[in-house]
Amino acid sequence: MRNTIAKQLRAIIRPEKNPVNKRVYRRAKKQYSKLPEHARRDYIQGLREFYEQVESKQRRESVVEEQS
């Protein structure tokens, strides 16, 4: 795996946040390396979209908790 791909995955998953994200990052790297060439871009794009949704949902929940 190229260093640039690892950097992209780290930017998306952020393994330094907690131990769970660290495990997810390792799994994502393994899954990425097993994929055929034509599916790799889609995999990274899917991860990016998924984590954007998760983060936006967490932000909404934290705002609701602060307002209560």
Short mmCIF file of all heavy atoms in Angstrom, two decimals:
data_model
loop_
_atom_site.label_atom_id
_atom_site.label_comp_id
_atom_site.label_asym_id
_atom_site.label_seq_id
_atom_site.Cartn_x
_atom_site.Cartn_y
_atom_site.Cartn_z
N MET A 1 0.85 -1.17 0.00
CA MET A 1 0.00 0.00 0.00
C MET A 1 0.90 1.23 0.00
O MET A 1 1.88 1.30 0.72
CB MET A 1 -0.89 0.00 1.24
CG MET A 1 -1.70 1.25 1.38
SD MET A 1 -2.73 1.30 2.82
CE MET A 1 -3.86 0.01 2.44
N ARG A 2 0.52 2.18 -0.82
CA ARG A 2 1.28 3.42 -0.88
C ARG A 2 1.02 4.27 0.34
O ARG A 2 -0.04 4.21 0.96
CB ARG A 2 0.90 4.19 -2.13
CG ARG A 2 1.37 3.54 -3.38
CD ARG A 2 1.10 4.41 -4.54
NE ARG A 2 1.72 3.82 -5.71
CZ ARG A 2 1.68 4.36 -6.89
NH1 ARG A 2 1.03 5.48 -7.07
NH2 ARG A 2 2.27 3.77 -7.90
N ASN A 3 2.01 5.08 0.64
CA ASN A 3 1.91 5.97 1.79
C ASN A 3 0.78 6.98 1.61
O ASN A 3 0.13 7.36 2.59
CB ASN A 3 3.23 6.70 1.98
CG ASN A 3 3.65 6.77 3.41
OD1 ASN A 3 2.94 6.26 4.27
ND2 ASN A 3 4.76 7.39 3.67
N THR A 4 0.55 7.41 0.38
CA THR A 4 -0.52 8.39 0.15
C THR A 4 -1.89 7.81 0.46
O THR A 4 -2.75 8.51 1.00
CB THR A 4 -0.50 8.90 -1.30
OG1 THR A 4 -0.60 7.77 -2.18
CG2 THR A 4 0.77 9.65 -1.61
N ILE A 5 -2.08 6.54 0.15
CA ILE A 5 -3.36 5.89 0.45
C ILE A 5 -3.52 5.75 1.95
O ILE A 5 -4.61 5.99 2.50
CB ILE A 5 -3.45 4.52 -0.24
CG1 ILE A 5 -3.31 4.66 -1.76
CG2 ILE A 5 -4.72 3.81 0.14
CD1 ILE A 5 -4.36 5.55 -2.39
N ALA A 6 -2.47 5.37 2.64
CA ALA A 6 -2.53 5.25 4.09
C ALA A 6 -2.86 6.59 4.73
O ALA A 6 -3.65 6.67 5.68
CB ALA A 6 -1.23 4.70 4.64
N LYS A 7 -2.30 7.66 4.19
CA LYS A 7 -2.59 9.00 4.71
C LYS A 7 -4.06 9.36 4.49
O LYS A 7 -4.70 9.95 5.36
CB LYS A 7 -1.70 10.04 4.05
CG LYS A 7 -0.28 10.02 4.54
CD LYS A 7 0.54 11.08 3.85
CE LYS A 7 1.98 11.03 4.29
NZ LYS A 7 2.81 12.04 3.61
N GLN A 8 -4.59 9.01 3.32
CA GLN A 8 -6.00 9.28 3.06
C GLN A 8 -6.89 8.52 4.02
O GLN A 8 -7.85 9.08 4.57
CB GLN A 8 -6.35 8.88 1.63
CG GLN A 8 -5.83 9.79 0.57
CD GLN A 8 -6.20 9.31 -0.82
OE1 GLN A 8 -6.87 8.29 -0.99
NE2 GLN A 8 -5.76 10.05 -1.83
N LEU A 9 -6.57 7.25 4.25
CA LEU A 9 -7.37 6.45 5.18
C LEU A 9 -7.28 7.01 6.60
O LEU A 9 -8.28 7.06 7.32
CB LEU A 9 -6.93 4.99 5.15
CG LEU A 9 -7.26 4.22 3.88
CD1 LEU A 9 -6.65 2.82 3.94
CD2 LEU A 9 -8.75 4.13 3.67
N ARG A 10 -6.09 7.44 7.01
CA ARG A 10 -5.94 8.03 8.34
C ARG A 10 -6.73 9.32 8.47
O ARG A 10 -7.32 9.59 9.52
CB ARG A 10 -4.46 8.30 8.65
CG ARG A 10 -3.74 7.13 9.23
CD ARG A 10 -2.41 7.54 9.84
NE ARG A 10 -1.52 8.18 8.90
CZ ARG A 10 -0.63 7.55 8.13
NH1 ARG A 10 -0.53 6.24 8.19
NH2 ARG A 10 0.14 8.22 7.32
N ALA A 11 -6.76 10.11 7.41
CA ALA A 11 -7.51 11.37 7.45
C ALA A 11 -9.01 11.10 7.56
O ALA A 11 -9.74 11.86 8.20
CB ALA A 11 -7.21 12.19 6.21
N ILE A 12 -9.47 10.03 6.95
CA ILE A 12 -10.89 9.70 6.98
C ILE A 12 -11.29 9.10 8.33
O ILE A 12 -12.25 9.52 8.96
CB ILE A 12 -11.25 8.73 5.84
CG1 ILE A 12 -11.05 9.40 4.48
CG2 ILE A 12 -12.68 8.23 5.98
CD1 ILE A 12 -11.11 8.44 3.31
N ILE A 13 -10.53 8.10 8.78
CA ILE A 13 -10.92 7.32 9.95
C ILE A 13 -10.42 7.94 11.26
O ILE A 13 -11.06 7.80 12.30
CB ILE A 13 -10.44 5.86 9.81
CG1 ILE A 13 -11.09 5.25 8.57
CG2 ILE A 13 -10.74 5.05 11.05
CD1 ILE A 13 -10.59 3.88 8.22
N ARG A 14 -9.31 8.62 11.22
CA ARG A 14 -8.69 9.25 12.39
C ARG A 14 -8.44 8.24 13.52
O ARG A 14 -9.11 8.27 14.57
CB ARG A 14 -9.54 10.40 12.88
CG ARG A 14 -9.65 11.49 11.84
CD ARG A 14 -10.44 12.63 12.34
NE ARG A 14 -10.65 13.57 11.25
CZ ARG A 14 -11.56 14.49 11.26
NH1 ARG A 14 -12.34 14.64 12.28
NH2 ARG A 14 -11.69 15.29 10.23
N PRO A 15 -7.48 7.36 13.35
CA PRO A 15 -7.22 6.31 14.35
C PRO A 15 -6.68 6.83 15.68
O PRO A 15 -6.73 6.12 16.68
CB PRO A 15 -6.19 5.41 13.66
CG PRO A 15 -5.55 6.26 12.63
CD PRO A 15 -6.59 7.24 12.20
N GLU A 16 -6.21 8.06 15.72
CA GLU A 16 -5.68 8.60 16.97
C GLU A 16 -6.77 8.99 17.96
O GLU A 16 -6.50 9.20 19.13
CB GLU A 16 -4.76 9.80 16.70
CG GLU A 16 -5.44 11.02 16.15
CD GLU A 16 -5.65 10.98 14.64
OE1 GLU A 16 -5.18 10.06 13.95
OE2 GLU A 16 -6.32 11.89 14.15
N LYS A 17 -8.02 9.04 17.50
CA LYS A 17 -9.12 9.44 18.38
C LYS A 17 -9.38 8.43 19.50
O LYS A 17 -9.54 8.80 20.65
CB LYS A 17 -10.40 9.64 17.58
CG LYS A 17 -10.50 10.97 16.92
CD LYS A 17 -11.88 11.16 16.36
CE LYS A 17 -12.08 12.57 15.90
NZ LYS A 17 -13.43 12.77 15.39
N ASN A 18 -9.47 7.15 19.14
CA ASN A 18 -9.72 6.12 20.15
C ASN A 18 -9.28 4.76 19.63
O ASN A 18 -9.03 4.59 18.44
CB ASN A 18 -11.20 6.12 20.57
CG ASN A 18 -12.14 5.87 19.41
OD1 ASN A 18 -11.83 5.12 18.50
ND2 ASN A 18 -13.29 6.50 19.46
N PRO A 19 -9.19 3.76 20.50
CA PRO A 19 -8.71 2.44 20.09
C PRO A 19 -9.62 1.74 19.08
O PRO A 19 -9.15 0.96 18.26
CB PRO A 19 -8.66 1.63 21.38
CG PRO A 19 -8.80 2.59 22.48
CD PRO A 19 -9.38 3.84 21.94
N VAL A 20 -10.90 2.02 19.11
CA VAL A 20 -11.82 1.39 18.16
C VAL A 20 -11.49 1.87 16.75
O VAL A 20 -11.42 1.07 15.81
CB VAL A 20 -13.29 1.72 18.52
CG1 VAL A 20 -14.23 1.19 17.45
CG2 VAL A 20 -13.64 1.13 19.87
N ASN A 21 -11.26 3.15 16.58
CA ASN A 21 -10.90 3.67 15.27
C ASN A 21 -9.58 3.11 14.78
O ASN A 21 -9.38 2.95 13.58
CB ASN A 21 -10.82 5.19 15.30
CG ASN A 21 -12.18 5.84 15.28
OD1 ASN A 21 -13.20 5.16 15.34
ND2 ASN A 21 -12.21 7.15 15.21
N LYS A 22 -8.68 2.80 15.69
CA LYS A 22 -7.41 2.21 15.31
C LYS A 22 -7.62 0.82 14.69
O LYS A 22 -7.02 0.48 13.68
CB LYS A 22 -6.49 2.11 16.53
CG LYS A 22 -5.06 1.88 16.22
CD LYS A 22 -4.22 2.03 17.47
CE LYS A 22 -2.77 2.07 17.12
NZ LYS A 22 -1.94 2.30 18.29
N ARG A 23 -8.51 0.04 15.29
CA ARG A 23 -8.83 -1.28 14.74
C ARG A 23 -9.53 -1.15 13.39
O ARG A 23 -9.25 -1.90 12.46
CB ARG A 23 -9.70 -2.07 15.72
CG ARG A 23 -8.95 -2.56 16.93
CD ARG A 23 -9.79 -3.56 17.70
NE ARG A 23 -11.07 -3.03 18.12
CZ ARG A 23 -11.35 -2.58 19.33
NH1 ARG A 23 -10.43 -2.60 20.26
NH2 ARG A 23 -12.54 -2.13 19.63
N VAL A 24 -10.44 -0.20 13.30
CA VAL A 24 -11.15 0.01 12.04
C VAL A 24 -10.18 0.42 10.95
O VAL A 24 -10.28 -0.04 9.81
CB VAL A 24 -12.26 1.08 12.23
CG1 VAL A 24 -12.85 1.50 10.90
CG2 VAL A 24 -13.34 0.57 13.15
N TYR A 25 -9.22 1.26 11.29
CA TYR A 25 -8.20 1.70 10.32
C TYR A 25 -7.41 0.50 9.80
O TYR A 25 -7.19 0.36 8.61
CB TYR A 25 -7.29 2.73 10.98
CG TYR A 25 -6.05 3.06 10.18
CD1 TYR A 25 -6.13 3.78 9.00
CD2 TYR A 25 -4.80 2.65 10.62
CE1 TYR A 25 -5.01 4.07 8.26
CE2 TYR A 25 -3.67 2.94 9.89
CZ TYR A 25 -3.78 3.66 8.71
OH TYR A 25 -2.64 3.95 7.99
N ARG A 26 -6.99 -0.37 10.70
CA ARG A 26 -6.23 -1.56 10.28
C ARG A 26 -7.07 -2.45 9.37
O ARG A 26 -6.58 -2.95 8.36
CB ARG A 26 -5.75 -2.35 11.49
CG ARG A 26 -4.48 -1.79 12.07
CD ARG A 26 -3.88 -2.73 13.09
NE ARG A 26 -3.94 -2.05 14.37
CZ ARG A 26 -4.37 -2.58 15.50
NH1 ARG A 26 -4.77 -3.82 15.54
NH2 ARG A 26 -4.39 -1.88 16.60
N ARG A 27 -8.33 -2.64 9.71
CA ARG A 27 -9.21 -3.46 8.87
C ARG A 27 -9.42 -2.82 7.51
O ARG A 27 -9.46 -3.50 6.48
CB ARG A 27 -10.56 -3.66 9.55
CG ARG A 27 -10.51 -4.62 10.68
CD ARG A 27 -11.88 -4.85 11.23
NE ARG A 27 -11.79 -5.58 12.48
CZ ARG A 27 -12.60 -5.41 13.50
NH1 ARG A 27 -13.60 -4.56 13.41
NH2 ARG A 27 -12.45 -6.12 14.60
N ALA A 28 -9.57 -1.50 7.48
CA ALA A 28 -9.78 -0.79 6.22
C ALA A 28 -8.56 -0.94 5.32
O ALA A 28 -8.70 -1.13 4.11
CB ALA A 28 -10.08 0.68 6.49
N LYS A 29 -7.38 -0.88 5.90
CA LYS A 29 -6.16 -1.06 5.10
C LYS A 29 -6.11 -2.45 4.50
O LYS A 29 -5.78 -2.61 3.32
CB LYS A 29 -4.91 -0.84 5.96
CG LYS A 29 -4.58 0.57 6.21
CD LYS A 29 -3.22 0.85 6.82
CE LYS A 29 -2.49 -0.27 7.44
NZ LYS A 29 -1.23 0.11 8.07
N LYS A 30 -6.45 -3.46 5.29
CA LYS A 30 -6.44 -4.84 4.78
C LYS A 30 -7.47 -5.03 3.67
O LYS A 30 -7.19 -5.65 2.64
CB LYS A 30 -6.71 -5.83 5.91
CG LYS A 30 -5.56 -5.99 6.86
CD LYS A 30 -5.90 -6.96 7.97
CE LYS A 30 -4.79 -7.01 8.99
NZ LYS A 30 -5.11 -7.90 10.11
N GLN A 31 -8.65 -4.49 3.89
CA GLN A 31 -9.69 -4.62 2.88
C GLN A 31 -9.30 -3.89 1.60
O GLN A 31 -9.52 -4.40 0.50
CB GLN A 31 -11.02 -4.06 3.40
CG GLN A 31 -11.65 -4.92 4.45
CD GLN A 31 -12.90 -4.28 5.03
OE1 GLN A 31 -13.16 -3.10 4.80
NE2 GLN A 31 -13.66 -5.05 5.78
N TYR A 32 -8.71 -2.72 1.74
CA TYR A 32 -8.28 -1.96 0.57
C TYR A 32 -7.25 -2.74 -0.24
O TYR A 32 -7.32 -2.79 -1.46
CB TYR A 32 -7.69 -0.62 1.01
CG TYR A 32 -7.18 0.21 -0.14
CD1 TYR A 32 -8.03 1.05 -0.85
CD2 TYR A 32 -5.85 0.15 -0.53
CE1 TYR A 32 -7.59 1.80 -1.91
CE2 TYR A 32 -5.39 0.89 -1.60
CZ TYR A 32 -6.26 1.72 -2.28
OH TYR A 32 -5.79 2.45 -3.34
N SER A 33 -6.30 -3.34 0.43
CA SER A 33 -5.24 -4.05 -0.29
C SER A 33 -5.77 -5.31 -0.99
O SER A 33 -5.17 -5.76 -1.97
CB SER A 33 -4.09 -4.41 0.65
OG SER A 33 -4.54 -5.27 1.65
N LYS A 34 -6.88 -5.86 -0.53
CA LYS A 34 -7.46 -7.04 -1.17
C LYS A 34 -8.33 -6.70 -2.38
O LYS A 34 -8.64 -7.57 -3.18
CB LYS A 34 -8.32 -7.82 -0.16
CG LYS A 34 -7.52 -8.50 0.91
CD LYS A 34 -8.43 -9.21 1.89
CE LYS A 34 -7.63 -9.82 3.03
NZ LYS A 34 -8.51 -10.50 3.98
N LEU A 35 -8.70 -5.44 -2.52
CA LEU A 35 -9.59 -5.03 -3.61
C LEU A 35 -8.86 -4.99 -4.95
O LEU A 35 -7.67 -4.71 -5.00
CB LEU A 35 -10.14 -3.64 -3.33
CG LEU A 35 -11.16 -3.51 -2.22
CD1 LEU A 35 -11.48 -2.04 -1.99
CD2 LEU A 35 -12.42 -4.26 -2.58
N PRO A 36 -9.60 -5.24 -6.04
CA PRO A 36 -9.01 -5.06 -7.37
C PRO A 36 -8.83 -3.56 -7.66
O PRO A 36 -9.44 -2.71 -7.01
CB PRO A 36 -10.04 -5.68 -8.31
CG PRO A 36 -11.31 -5.69 -7.56
CD PRO A 36 -10.95 -5.78 -6.11
N GLU A 37 -7.99 -3.25 -8.61
CA GLU A 37 -7.65 -1.87 -8.94
C GLU A 37 -8.87 -0.99 -9.19
O GLU A 37 -8.94 0.13 -8.71
CB GLU A 37 -6.77 -1.82 -10.19
CG GLU A 37 -5.32 -2.14 -9.95
CD GLU A 37 -4.61 -1.11 -9.10
OE1 GLU A 37 -4.84 0.11 -9.30
OE2 GLU A 37 -3.84 -1.51 -8.23
N HIS A 38 -9.82 -1.49 -9.94
CA HIS A 38 -10.95 -0.67 -10.34
C HIS A 38 -11.90 -0.35 -9.19
O HIS A 38 -12.71 0.57 -9.29
CB HIS A 38 -11.74 -1.33 -11.48
CG HIS A 38 -12.39 -2.63 -11.09
ND1 HIS A 38 -11.71 -3.82 -11.09
CD2 HIS A 38 -13.64 -2.89 -10.67
CE1 HIS A 38 -12.53 -4.78 -10.70
NE2 HIS A 38 -13.71 -4.25 -10.44
N ALA A 39 -11.82 -1.04 -8.07
CA ALA A 39 -12.75 -0.83 -6.97
C ALA A 39 -12.15 0.02 -5.84
O ALA A 39 -12.86 0.42 -4.92
CB ALA A 39 -13.20 -2.17 -6.39
N ARG A 40 -10.89 0.32 -5.93
CA ARG A 40 -10.22 1.00 -4.82
C ARG A 40 -10.68 2.44 -4.63
O ARG A 40 -10.88 2.89 -3.50
CB ARG A 40 -8.70 0.95 -5.01
CG ARG A 40 -8.20 -0.46 -4.81
CD ARG A 40 -6.72 -0.56 -4.95
NE ARG A 40 -6.31 -1.94 -4.62
CZ ARG A 40 -5.07 -2.33 -4.56
NH1 ARG A 40 -4.09 -1.49 -4.81
NH2 ARG A 40 -4.79 -3.57 -4.24
N ARG A 41 -10.87 3.17 -5.71
CA ARG A 41 -11.35 4.56 -5.58
C ARG A 41 -12.74 4.61 -4.97
O ARG A 41 -13.03 5.45 -4.13
CB ARG A 41 -11.39 5.23 -6.95
CG ARG A 41 -10.08 5.73 -7.41
CD ARG A 41 -10.26 6.62 -8.62
NE ARG A 41 -9.03 6.63 -9.38
CZ ARG A 41 -8.97 6.82 -10.66
NH1 ARG A 41 -10.06 7.00 -11.36
NH2 ARG A 41 -7.81 6.83 -11.27
N ASP A 42 -13.58 3.68 -5.42
CA ASP A 42 -14.94 3.63 -4.87
C ASP A 42 -14.94 3.31 -3.39
O ASP A 42 -15.76 3.83 -2.63
CB ASP A 42 -15.77 2.60 -5.62
CG ASP A 42 -16.01 2.97 -7.08
OD1 ASP A 42 -15.94 4.18 -7.39
OD2 ASP A 42 -16.27 2.06 -7.88
N TYR A 43 -14.02 2.45 -2.96
CA TYR A 43 -13.92 2.08 -1.55
C TYR A 43 -13.57 3.30 -0.70
O TYR A 43 -14.20 3.56 0.32
CB TYR A 43 -12.86 0.99 -1.39
CG TYR A 43 -12.66 0.52 0.02
CD1 TYR A 43 -13.59 -0.30 0.64
CD2 TYR A 43 -11.55 0.91 0.76
CE1 TYR A 43 -13.42 -0.73 1.94
CE2 TYR A 43 -11.37 0.48 2.06
CZ TYR A 43 -12.30 -0.34 2.64
OH TYR A 43 -12.12 -0.75 3.93
N ILE A 44 -12.58 4.06 -1.14
CA ILE A 44 -12.17 5.25 -0.38
C ILE A 44 -13.29 6.28 -0.37
O ILE A 44 -13.58 6.89 0.66
CB ILE A 44 -10.86 5.83 -0.94
CG1 ILE A 44 -9.72 4.88 -0.61
CG2 ILE A 44 -10.58 7.22 -0.38
CD1 ILE A 44 -8.38 5.29 -1.14
N GLN A 45 -13.94 6.46 -1.50
CA GLN A 45 -15.05 7.42 -1.57
C GLN A 45 -16.20 6.98 -0.67
O GLN A 45 -16.79 7.80 0.03
CB GLN A 45 -15.54 7.56 -3.02
CG GLN A 45 -16.62 8.59 -3.19
CD GLN A 45 -16.15 9.98 -2.83
OE1 GLN A 45 -14.99 10.32 -2.98
NE2 GLN A 45 -17.06 10.78 -2.31
N GLY A 46 -16.49 5.70 -0.63
CA GLY A 46 -17.54 5.19 0.25
C GLY A 46 -17.21 5.39 1.72
O GLY A 46 -18.08 5.77 2.52
N LEU A 47 -15.95 5.15 2.08
CA LEU A 47 -15.53 5.38 3.47
C LEU A 47 -15.67 6.85 3.83
O LEU A 47 -16.16 7.19 4.91
CB LEU A 47 -14.07 4.97 3.66
CG LEU A 47 -13.77 3.53 3.98
CD1 LEU A 47 -12.27 3.31 4.04
CD2 LEU A 47 -14.40 3.11 5.28
N ARG A 48 -15.25 7.72 2.93
CA ARG A 48 -15.33 9.16 3.18
C ARG A 48 -16.78 9.58 3.41
O ARG A 48 -17.09 10.28 4.38
CB ARG A 48 -14.73 9.91 2.00
CG ARG A 48 -14.63 11.40 2.23
CD ARG A 48 -13.88 12.09 1.11
NE ARG A 48 -12.46 11.76 1.22
CZ ARG A 48 -11.73 11.24 0.23
NH1 ARG A 48 -12.27 10.99 -0.94
NH2 ARG A 48 -10.45 10.99 0.41
N GLU A 49 -17.68 9.13 2.56
CA GLU A 49 -19.10 9.49 2.70
C GLU A 49 -19.68 8.93 3.99
O GLU A 49 -20.44 9.62 4.69
CB GLU A 49 -19.89 8.97 1.51
CG GLU A 49 -19.58 9.68 0.22
CD GLU A 49 -20.21 9.04 -0.99
OE1 GLU A 49 -20.94 8.03 -0.82
OE2 GLU A 49 -19.99 9.53 -2.10
N PHE A 50 -19.33 7.70 4.33
CA PHE A 50 -19.85 7.08 5.54
C PHE A 50 -19.40 7.86 6.78
O PHE A 50 -20.21 8.17 7.66
CB PHE A 50 -19.38 5.63 5.64
CG PHE A 50 -19.76 4.97 6.92
CD1 PHE A 50 -21.06 4.57 7.16
CD2 PHE A 50 -18.81 4.76 7.91
CE1 PHE A 50 -21.41 3.96 8.36
CE2 PHE A 50 -19.15 4.15 9.11
CZ PHE A 50 -20.46 3.75 9.33
N TYR A 51 -18.11 8.19 6.85
CA TYR A 51 -17.62 8.90 8.03
C TYR A 51 -18.12 10.33 8.10
O TYR A 51 -18.28 10.87 9.20
CB TYR A 51 -16.09 8.83 8.11
CG TYR A 51 -15.65 7.56 8.79
CD1 TYR A 51 -15.32 6.43 8.07
CD2 TYR A 51 -15.61 7.49 10.17
CE1 TYR A 51 -14.95 5.26 8.70
CE2 TYR A 51 -15.25 6.32 10.81
CZ TYR A 51 -14.92 5.21 10.07
OH TYR A 51 -14.57 4.06 10.71
N GLU A 52 -18.40 10.95 6.97
CA GLU A 52 -19.01 12.28 7.00
C GLU A 52 -20.41 12.21 7.59
O GLU A 52 -20.80 13.06 8.38
CB GLU A 52 -19.07 12.87 5.59
CG GLU A 52 -17.73 13.34 5.08
CD GLU A 52 -17.78 13.79 3.63
OE1 GLU A 52 -18.88 13.70 3.01
OE2 GLU A 52 -16.74 14.20 3.13
N GLN A 53 -21.16 11.17 7.24
CA GLN A 53 -22.50 11.00 7.80
C GLN A 53 -22.43 10.73 9.30
O GLN A 53 -23.22 11.28 10.07
CB GLN A 53 -23.22 9.85 7.11
CG GLN A 53 -23.64 10.14 5.70
CD GLN A 53 -24.26 8.93 5.03
OE1 GLN A 53 -24.31 7.84 5.60
NE2 GLN A 53 -24.73 9.11 3.81
N VAL A 54 -21.50 9.90 9.72
CA VAL A 54 -21.36 9.58 11.14
C VAL A 54 -21.00 10.83 11.92
O VAL A 54 -21.59 11.10 12.98
CB VAL A 54 -20.29 8.47 11.34
CG1 VAL A 54 -19.92 8.33 12.80
CG2 VAL A 54 -20.79 7.15 10.78
N GLU A 55 -20.05 11.60 11.43
CA GLU A 55 -19.63 12.81 12.14
C GLU A 55 -20.74 13.84 12.20
O GLU A 55 -20.94 14.49 13.23
CB GLU A 55 -18.39 13.40 11.50
CG GLU A 55 -17.15 12.58 11.77
CD GLU A 55 -15.92 13.16 11.10
OE1 GLU A 55 -16.04 14.21 10.42
OE2 GLU A 55 -14.85 12.56 11.25
N SER A 56 -21.48 14.00 11.11
CA SER A 56 -22.58 14.98 11.14
C SER A 56 -23.67 14.55 12.11
O SER A 56 -24.25 15.38 12.81
CB SER A 56 -23.15 15.19 9.74
OG SER A 56 -23.79 14.03 9.28
N LYS A 57 -23.93 13.25 12.19
CA LYS A 57 -24.92 12.75 13.14
C LYS A 57 -24.46 12.98 14.57
O LYS A 57 -25.23 13.39 15.44
CB LYS A 57 -25.16 11.26 12.90
CG LYS A 57 -26.22 10.67 13.78
CD LYS A 57 -26.46 9.22 13.48
CE LYS A 57 -27.50 8.64 14.41
NZ LYS A 57 -27.70 7.21 14.19
N GLN A 58 -23.17 12.75 14.84
CA GLN A 58 -22.64 12.98 16.19
C GLN A 58 -22.71 14.45 16.56
O GLN A 58 -23.00 14.79 17.70
CB GLN A 58 -21.20 12.47 16.28
CG GLN A 58 -21.09 10.98 16.28
CD GLN A 58 -19.66 10.50 16.25
OE1 GLN A 58 -18.74 11.26 15.98
NE2 GLN A 58 -19.46 9.22 16.51
N ARG A 59 -22.44 15.33 15.59
CA ARG A 59 -22.51 16.77 15.86
C ARG A 59 -23.94 17.18 16.19
O ARG A 59 -24.17 17.96 17.12
CB ARG A 59 -22.01 17.56 14.65
CG ARG A 59 -20.52 17.66 14.60
CD ARG A 59 -20.08 18.64 13.53
NE ARG A 59 -19.09 17.95 12.72
CZ ARG A 59 -19.13 17.79 11.42
NH1 ARG A 59 -20.12 18.29 10.71
NH2 ARG A 59 -18.20 17.12 10.77
N ARG A 60 -24.90 16.65 15.44
CA ARG A 60 -26.30 16.98 15.71
C ARG A 60 -26.71 16.52 17.09
O ARG A 60 -27.40 17.22 17.81
CB ARG A 60 -27.21 16.35 14.64
CG ARG A 60 -27.31 17.19 13.40
CD ARG A 60 -28.35 16.64 12.45
NE ARG A 60 -27.62 15.82 11.47
CZ ARG A 60 -27.94 14.59 11.09
NH1 ARG A 60 -29.01 14.00 11.57
NH2 ARG A 60 -27.22 13.95 10.22
N GLU A 61 -26.30 15.31 17.47
CA GLU A 61 -26.65 14.78 18.78
C GLU A 61 -26.02 15.61 19.90
O GLU A 61 -26.65 15.85 20.93
CB GLU A 61 -26.23 13.32 18.89
CG GLU A 61 -27.06 12.39 18.05
CD GLU A 61 -26.57 10.96 18.08
OE1 GLU A 61 -25.51 10.70 18.67
OE2 GLU A 61 -27.24 10.10 17.49
N SER A 62 -24.77 16.06 19.70
CA SER A 62 -24.13 16.85 20.74
C SER A 62 -24.78 18.23 20.88
O SER A 62 -24.90 18.76 21.97
CB SER A 62 -22.63 17.01 20.47
OG SER A 62 -22.42 17.76 19.30
N VAL A 63 -25.26 18.79 19.80
CA VAL A 63 -25.95 20.07 19.86
C VAL A 63 -27.27 19.91 20.59
O VAL A 63 -27.64 20.77 21.40
CB VAL A 63 -26.19 20.63 18.42
CG1 VAL A 63 -27.13 21.82 18.44
CG2 VAL A 63 -24.87 21.01 17.79
N VAL A 64 -27.98 18.84 20.34
CA VAL A 64 -29.25 18.59 21.03
C VAL A 64 -29.02 18.40 22.53
O VAL A 64 -29.77 18.92 23.35
CB VAL A 64 -29.96 17.36 20.42
CG1 VAL A 64 -31.14 16.93 21.26
CG2 VAL A 64 -30.40 17.66 19.00
N GLU A 65 -27.95 17.70 22.90
CA GLU A 65 -27.65 17.48 24.31
C GLU A 65 -27.29 18.81 24.99
O GLU A 65 -27.65 19.03 26.15
CB GLU A 65 -26.51 16.49 24.47
CG GLU A 65 -26.91 15.07 24.14
CD GLU A 65 -25.74 14.13 24.20
OE1 GLU A 65 -24.60 14.57 24.48
OE2 GLU A 65 -25.94 12.92 23.94
N GLU A 66 -26.56 19.68 24.30
CA GLU A 66 -26.19 20.96 24.87
C GLU A 66 -27.40 21.86 25.09
O GLU A 66 -27.45 22.62 26.02
CB GLU A 66 -25.16 21.67 23.97
CG GLU A 66 -23.80 21.02 23.98
CD GLU A 66 -22.86 21.66 22.97
OE1 GLU A 66 -23.27 22.63 22.27
OE2 GLU A 66 -21.73 21.20 22.89
N GLN A 67 -28.37 21.76 24.20
CA GLN A 67 -29.55 22.59 24.31
C GLN A 67 -30.47 22.12 25.43
O GLN A 67 -31.23 22.90 25.98
CB GLN A 67 -30.33 22.60 22.99
CG GLN A 67 -29.61 23.33 21.90
CD GLN A 67 -30.36 23.27 20.58
OE1 GLN A 67 -31.36 22.57 20.45
NE2 GLN A 67 -29.85 23.97 19.58
N SER A 68 -30.39 20.85 25.78
CA SER A 68 -31.27 20.32 26.84
C SER A 68 -30.82 20.71 28.21
O SER A 68 -29.81 21.09 28.54
CB SER A 68 -31.30 18.80 26.77
OG SER A 68 -31.84 18.38 25.54
#
